[in-house]
Amino acid sequence: RRDLLVPQDVRERKGSFFTPQIWVELSQKYLADTLGENWQDEYYIWDCAAGTGNLLAGLTNKFHIWASTLDRQDVDVMKDRIKNGANLLENHVFQFDFLNDDFAKLPKNLQNVINDPEKRKKLVIYINPPYAEAGSVSVIDGRKNKTKVATESKIWLKYKDKLGLGIRELFAQFFIRIHQEIPDCLLASFSKLKYISGDGFSDFRQLFKAQYKKGFIVPANTFDNVTGSFPIGFLIWDLSSKEIFSEIETDAYDAFAKFFIKKKFFVNDETKRISDWINRYEVKNKGSVIGYTGNNGPDFQNNNYCHISNLQKVNKNGSLNNATKYSIIQNNLLPICIYFAVRHAIHATWLNDRDQFLYPQDGWQQDTVFQNDCLAFTLFHGQNRISAKDGINHWIPFTEKEVDAQEKFQSSFMTDFIKGKLKAMGNGNLLETEKVRTIPLSFSPEAIAVFDSGRELWKYYHATIKNITIWAGTQASVNASLYDIRAFFQGRNEQGKMNNKSEDETYNELLDNLRDTLKILAQKIELKVYEYGFLKR
């Protein structure tokens, strides 16, 4: 296991994630199911990103197998394995930079296969290519980007004007060279699923035309050195059929190789995203702002950046941070809450990580129960980070009397909004030019249960701070939001991160009750998410 000795920073830079044997065996079963029981005798196999060759373990016909890799050390390891019984031929194992070297450098017997149209149809490019990319999460959180990782190869230079953002991914560079320069072969590869449904791969999909045959997906963190919660797929493509695919169906396996569901991935190149929908509710004449939110990437992997706060962040260059670019006022409060609830009602998992939120059908506009459910969900969700420390808290969902507060709240905006009592220049501090809500909201039993459990938590908080004679030095405030209440009871660690639990068991029980009712409400909202087309099943 030389791979375990490779420094982690080197592995991360190269995107080298070694294939576990459990998935090697499963991939070879899928190849046999697709190509026939005798496929190894009828087809040629080239692993052009072989590393130390573990993907080839279990293959039987060494005369039909070639393995190439970027590093000379990996070639030496594979040849050492051959001396110890690995079923490969030494002259079929060689050093080759697939993204830079010319095919004239390949062994003659492999060139003969590639250059013969009939033999080429029987060539299987069987790989687990590098996953590194030029742009990654490091761009989002401000760390230095992985410069030059994917932007110096000859393949990048050759195809960069045709593939859009997809060219940043090393695996996409492998795929496109195979597709364009080894036509009519079969591609059987492990990879991320971005190229199927990712927004940045629409140009890639216009060029990559092929017939999908069969495949499966597994959790990414079952691979060495991978910690992300997303799917890695093994998909088999026939490149001789130039088909435009609109969806693929895969078999999903858990970390123990147990099949549990069939999972579809959709191409939505002609479909607007939820980002386009929420853009309709961006306000220009802002009026009285009660908070901020943002328009994040339209898939589950970006949901962590979807939150509500009452501080608008500015980037170093002076532009508005995308996470807080939208101002929230009473006119767009319900659409913003729908956007927020749709994105958070369904728990993000490795399985749905790449699923795209879409522009909805119009049915939601008449469904006031759904709208109000989304408001209730947003008020009590953990990603609502409104804080009285950052400004006036307009999001208190109860009156002073309901929670036995000792002082008057700075704002009664939310309770007035719910009761239809907002007035121009009134308690909500609204401008005269803004519309006035006069109809009270009615809530479903599930939403009422959330309000009831939330009210008990607020009452307990106000009863607790009633006994604090001096508030200086504490996080207590009569205008506290749910986020403030959690910080008050749970405290923060040395790094400033909120602790997961409180030492106050009564508080823990009340918070658990609130979360339980919120889960039930989320299940109700989830049905509408699919009904109105925010997500495809």
Side-chain angles (χ1 to χ4, degrees):
R1 294 302 304 281
R2 172 188 169 274
D3 52 275
L4 294 180
L5 302 179
V6 179
Q8 182 168 334
D9 62 331
V10 175
R11 284 204 260 174
E12 182 178 340
R13 176 175 58 82
K14 293 181 178 180
S16 301
F17 304 117
F18 301 91
T19 318
Q21 190 62 29
I22 189 173
W23 306 135
V24 171
E25 294 173 3
L26 188 60
S27 68
Q28 292 175 14
K29 177 183 180 301
Y30 271 66
L31 280 166
D33 291 344
T34 303
L35 303 179
E37 186 177 342
N38 299 319
W39 75 279
Q40 293 190 54
D41 296 325
E42 298 173 6
Y43 288 82
Y44 304 97
I45 302 164
W46 179 20
D47 183 351
C48 55
T52 54
N54 69 321
L55 186 59
L56 303 173
L59 297 181
T60 57
N61 189 349
K62 60 185 177 182
F63 301 101
H64 279 201
I65 303 170
W66 288 267
S68 62
T69 184
L70 178 66
D71 294 325
R72 181 72 232 177
Q73 292 170 298
D74 287 339
V75 173
D76 295 339
V77 169
M78 281 193 281
K79 290 189 174 181
D80 186 60
R81 290 180 55 213
I82 292 172
K83 294 175 183 178
N84 288 280
N87 196 31
L88 297 169
L89 294 176
E90 279 202 40
N91 62 347
H92 282 205
V93 176
F94 54 98
Q95 186 177 9
F96 186 76
D97 184 347
F98 191 81
L99 299 182
N100 288 289
D101 289 344
D102 190 270
F103 285 164
K105 293 183 178 182
L106 297 174
K108 290 297 182 182
N109 48 16
L110 180 55
Q111 286 189 50
N112 291 337
V113 173
I114 289 177
N115 294 329
D116 185 316
E118 293 306 314
K119 288 183 178 179
R120 196 167 57 231
K121 291 179 180 179
K122 293 290 187 178
L123 174 62
V124 179
I125 306 295
Y126 179 39
I127 53 173
N128 181 9
Y131 297 161
E133 61 179 302
S136 65
V137 71
S138 59
V139 179
I140 298 173
D141 68 14
R143 290 178 288 154
K144 187 177 180 181
N145 195 1
K146 295 180 181 179
T147 56
K148 301 183 181 180
V149 165
T151 58
E152 288 191 336
S153 74
K154 290 181 179 178
I155 297 303
W156 180 82
L157 289 171
K158 185 175 182 178
Y159 294 103
K160 64 184 178 70
D161 295 329
K162 297 180 179 179
L163 299 187
L165 296 177
I167 195 65
R168 299 184 307 181
E169 296 270 4
L170 285 181
F171 83 84
Q173 294 180 28
F174 272 78
F175 282 13
I176 210 61
R177 186 178 194 188
I178 294 165
H179 184 275
Q180 295 296 105
E181 301 179 24
I182 315 178
D184 302 335
C185 72
L186 289 108
L187 173 61
S189 178
F190 288 92
S191 71
K192 294 183 283 187
L193 276 297
K194 288 183 177 182
Y195 73 106
I196 302 297
S197 56
D199 276 0
F201 280 80
S202 57
D203 291 334
F204 177 93
R205 287 188 288 270
Q206 294 301 311
L207 195 60
F208 186 87
K209 295 181 175 66
Q211 182 185 55
Y212 172 68
K213 304 296 288 186
K214 193 178 180 69
F216 64 84
I217 58 172
V218 298
N221 59 16
T222 59
F223 284 68
D224 290 346
N225 199 38
V226 182
T227 57
S229 181
F230 59 90
I232 287 179
F234 177 76
L235 308 183
I236 303 171
W237 298 93
D238 182 355
L239 304 188
S240 66
S241 298
K242 310 303 182 185
E243 297 182 8
I244 298 176
F245 55 93
S246 59
E247 65 179 65
I248 66 167
E249 183 176 79
T250 62
D251 298 330
Y253 291 84
D254 65 18
F256 305 100
K258 182 179 179 182
F259 169 82
F260 67 96
I261 197 173
K262 286 190 177 292
K263 170 67 176 175
K264 285 186 177 182
F265 293 88
F266 299 95
V267 177
N268 297 304
D269 289 339
E270 304 302 321
T271 306
K272 289 184 177 181
R273 306 296 199 273
I274 198 172
S275 310
D276 302 302
W277 175 74
I278 197 61
N279 276 338
R280 293 174 52 192
Y281 301 97
E282 183 177 8
V283 290
K284 303 300 181 183
N285 300 318
K286 295 179 181 178
S288 301
V289 176
I290 64 168
Y292 302 95
T293 191
N295 187 345
N296 306 97
D299 51 20
F300 275 92
Q301 65 176 320
N302 282 288
N303 279 2
N304 285 339
Y305 306 105
C306 180
H307 68 280
I308 292 173
S309 69
N310 47 351
L311 277 182
Q312 194 164 38
K313 297 180 181 179
V314 179
N315 297 323
K316 292 180 180 179
N317 62 6
S319 63
L320 285 179
N321 186 289
N322 193 49
T324 59
K325 65 180 281 191
Y326 290 154
S327 298
I328 308 173
I329 64 173
Q330 77 149 331
N331 293 359
N332 67 0
L333 175 59
L334 285 176
I336 291 291
C337 289
I338 292 171
Y339 174 76
F340 180 93
V342 162
R343 299 205 62 157
H344 287 296
I346 302 171
H347 183 61
T349 67
W350 73 267
L351 191 63
N352 63 20
D353 184 70
R354 298 298 190 236
D355 288 1
Q356 301 276 314
F357 292 95
L358 305 174
Y359 198 110
Q361 302 156 10
D362 291 337
W364 69 270
Q365 296 177 357
Q366 288 74 45
D367 192 342
T368 56
V369 174
F370 169 67
Q371 297 172 26
N372 299 343
D373 281 346
C374 290
L375 172 63
F377 182 88
T378 303
L379 287 171
F380 297 95
H381 192 273
Q383 286 289 86
N384 184 335
R385 298 177 188 170
I386 292 290
S387 173
K389 294 189 299 180
D390 297 330
I392 296 176
N393 174 14
H394 296 287
W395 294 73
I396 302 175
F398 308 110
T399 64
E400 296 87 347
K401 183 177 180 180
E402 286 181 285
V403 297
D404 195 21
Q406 298 304 295
E407 294 182 15
K408 186 173 180 60
F409 299 147
Q410 287 179 295
S411 170
S412 62
F413 170 87
M414 194 57 64
T415 51
D416 287 346
F417 180 85
I418 291 171
K419 295 176 181 178
K421 291 183 176 181
L422 286 181
K423 299 177 181 179
M425 302 301 291
N427 291 331
N429 195 29
L430 296 170
L431 298 179
E432 292 180 349
T433 56
E434 296 182 19
K435 296 179 181 178
V436 178
R437 170 170 289 282
T438 59
I439 302 174
L441 305 185
S442 58
F443 292 95
S444 67
E446 293 84 356
I448 291 173
V450 172
F451 275 99
D452 289 344
S453 55
R455 188 180 301 105
E456 293 305 310
L457 183 61
W458 251 267
K459 287 171 66 175
Y460 183 70
Y461 169 78
H462 283 280
T464 301
I465 67 173
K466 185 189 303 184
N467 298 320
I468 300 176
T469 55
I470 300 176
W471 286 2
T474 75
Q475 299 177 32
S477 168
V478 71
N479 296 294
S481 66
L482 176 59
Y483 188 75
D484 294 327
I485 293 172
R486 289 172 56 216
F488 175 81
F489 283 107
Q490 294 171 214
R492 298 181 183 273
N493 60 21
E494 294 179 356
Q495 290 73 39
K497 184 179 180 181
M498 192 183 300
N499 297 320
N500 292 327
K501 284 283 187 180
S502 169
E503 295 180 359
D504 189 320
E505 291 303 324
T506 301
Y507 162 79
N508 289 334
E509 183 178 350
L510 290 171
L511 184 63
D512 286 343
N513 290 341
L514 174 59
R515 288 172 172 168
D516 288 342
T517 57
L518 202 64
K519 287 178 183 177
I520 295 172
L521 179 60
Q523 292 170 0
K524 186 171 185 284
I525 293 172
E526 178 179 353
L527 298 176
K528 299 293 184 177
V529 169
Y530 291 107
E531 179 180 339
Y532 296 134
F534 286 101
L535 283 175
K536 290 182 181 179
R537 286 196 181 277

